[in-house]
Amino acid sequence: MQDSSARGQPPPRNHSFLLRFISGKYQGGEFPVVADKQIIVGRSSDLDMVLVEDMVSRKHARIVLQSDGIWIEDLGSTNGTFVNGEKIKRSRLKEGDRVLIGTSILKVVASDSPPAESITTSGRVELESVAAQRRTNQTRTMSGAIEEVPLPDLLQLFGTSKKNGVLVVRTEDDVGRIFMRRGNIYFAQINDVDDLAPMKCMFRMLTWQKGLFDLDPPDERTFGNEIDVTVQEVLMEGLRQLDEFEQLRPSLPSLDARLAIASPLTALLRDLAADELDIVQLAMNYGSVAAVLNKSPSTDLETAQTLLKLLKTSYLRTL
């Protein structure tokens, strides 16, 4: 936890700003930020921004637009205030920053409307209206779009705030589930496919840029191949592997390309390592690049590297 007083450049004094709720029970609501008028955020009904939920303290945080920028200060809340995944005591906000308070994610956005001195009450009323409209079908604590909150940022927020639950991400083609316990990831799955290792699922989901997310309640099931990794570990290794995989992609056959053993096979099988022989067997049994990537216990990067080596050394060929 720290005072992030040096973060970013202060917004121009004459600009208007909004705090837009992009996740949580108030999603879709907006709250104006007015110069020199502090916004006290909390659960108490007599405050400026009232967020009625258990994870929000009675007086949780203070937000104010001053001459040197928008400042947010945690008021000793029980569950903390987070800016871009970092727990803060006091921090200066810039446009685009994401603030996590309770189960609500707020984004700092510029407004085309001129600042006004009497709009705090209307902001509070709007939030109450948004919450009332969502209340009848609100079954999940958090939801939103990964276009607004990219998956790495979302995981960072959940990891730092030690969230429990199942993060469900839905794209047009796939459904991914990330199982979290006190902010750590212990399992991941795509389309309920058992063949995909949890870390492989995590690395693939990090490539998703469009879709919707929900934080479902914790799942009591146990999995035979559970992992226990921090969000930071997943992001550091995952993003590194994705970068290297993208460099290999132009050299890889298409995912639907068919694979076969070279015939005649002049290269010696005894020269192959065990993991290389495994890929040869997968190519024989399943035949396509996509199937080999899915069935291999290694990561997509490691499998692609081995596959390219086997093609280059004429153990495998494409049909």
Side-chain angles (χ1 to χ4, degrees), residues 130-258:
V130 168
Q133 291 172 12
R134 292 175 59 85
R135 193 172 296 131
T136 56
N137 58 2
Q138 181 73 21
T139 58
R140 300 178 176 90
T141 57
M142 301 184 74
S143 61
I146 58 176
E147 293 94 325
E148 282 277 15
V149 194
L151 192 53
D153 294 356
L154 191 62
L155 288 170
Q156 190 81 11
L157 286 169
F158 289 174
T160 309
S161 56
K162 300 187 182 302
K163 285 282 189 286
N164 295 307
V166 183
L167 177 60
V168 183
V169 185
R170 296 176 173 84
T171 71
E172 290 185 356
D173 303 314
D174 300 295
V175 178
R177 290 179 171 83
I178 301 170
F179 297 76
M180 305 190 73
R181 185 185 294 126
R182 291 193 57 77
N184 279 11
I185 297 166
Y186 68 93
F187 195 68
Q189 199 172 45
I190 296 176
N191 298 332
D192 298 321
V193 175
D194 294 329
D195 292 334
L196 293 175
M199 289 298 286
K200 180 178 290 191
C201 292
M202 281 302 316
F203 296 160
R204 287 189 182 183
M205 280 187 266
L206 289 177
T207 67
W208 297 356
Q209 297 182 357
K210 292 185 178 181
L212 302 175
F213 72 84
D214 297 291
L215 182 63
D216 283 357
D219 192 314
E220 300 303 323
R221 289 179 295 167
T222 58
F223 303 94
N225 54 340
E226 285 191 7
I227 56 179
D228 183 17
V229 293
T230 66
V231 166
Q232 198 61 31
E233 289 171 330
V234 168
L235 294 181
M236 288 180 64
E237 179 61 17
L239 296 176
R240 180 193 70 79
Q241 290 206 18
L242 291 174
D243 183 59
E244 292 188 29
F245 186 84
E246 287 303 312
Q247 294 178 40
L248 290 180
R249 187 184 290 275
S251 303
L252 280 173
S254 65
L255 291 178
D256 58 358
R258 304 297 296 176

Side-chain angles (χ1 to χ4, degrees), residues 34-89:
V34 179
D36 298 324
K37 184 173 180 60
Q38 69 175 4
I39 301 167
I40 304 298
V41 184
R43 200 173 66 246
S44 180
S45 61
D46 60 344
L47 301 182
D48 306 298
M49 183 190 293
V50 181
L51 305 181
V52 185
E53 56 171 288
D54 292 340
M55 291 187 65
V56 175
S57 297
R58 288 182 59 80
K59 283 190 176 181
H60 197 106
R62 176 188 292 111
I63 301 170
V64 62
L65 173 58
Q66 301 175 163
S67 59
D68 59 346
I70 304 171
W71 288 87
I72 183 167
E73 177 185 3
D74 184 80
L75 299 178
S77 66
T78 301
N79 293 299
T81 302
F82 301 83
V83 176
N84 298 328
E86 178 185 348
K87 192 173 186 178
I88 58 95
K89 289 183 178 178

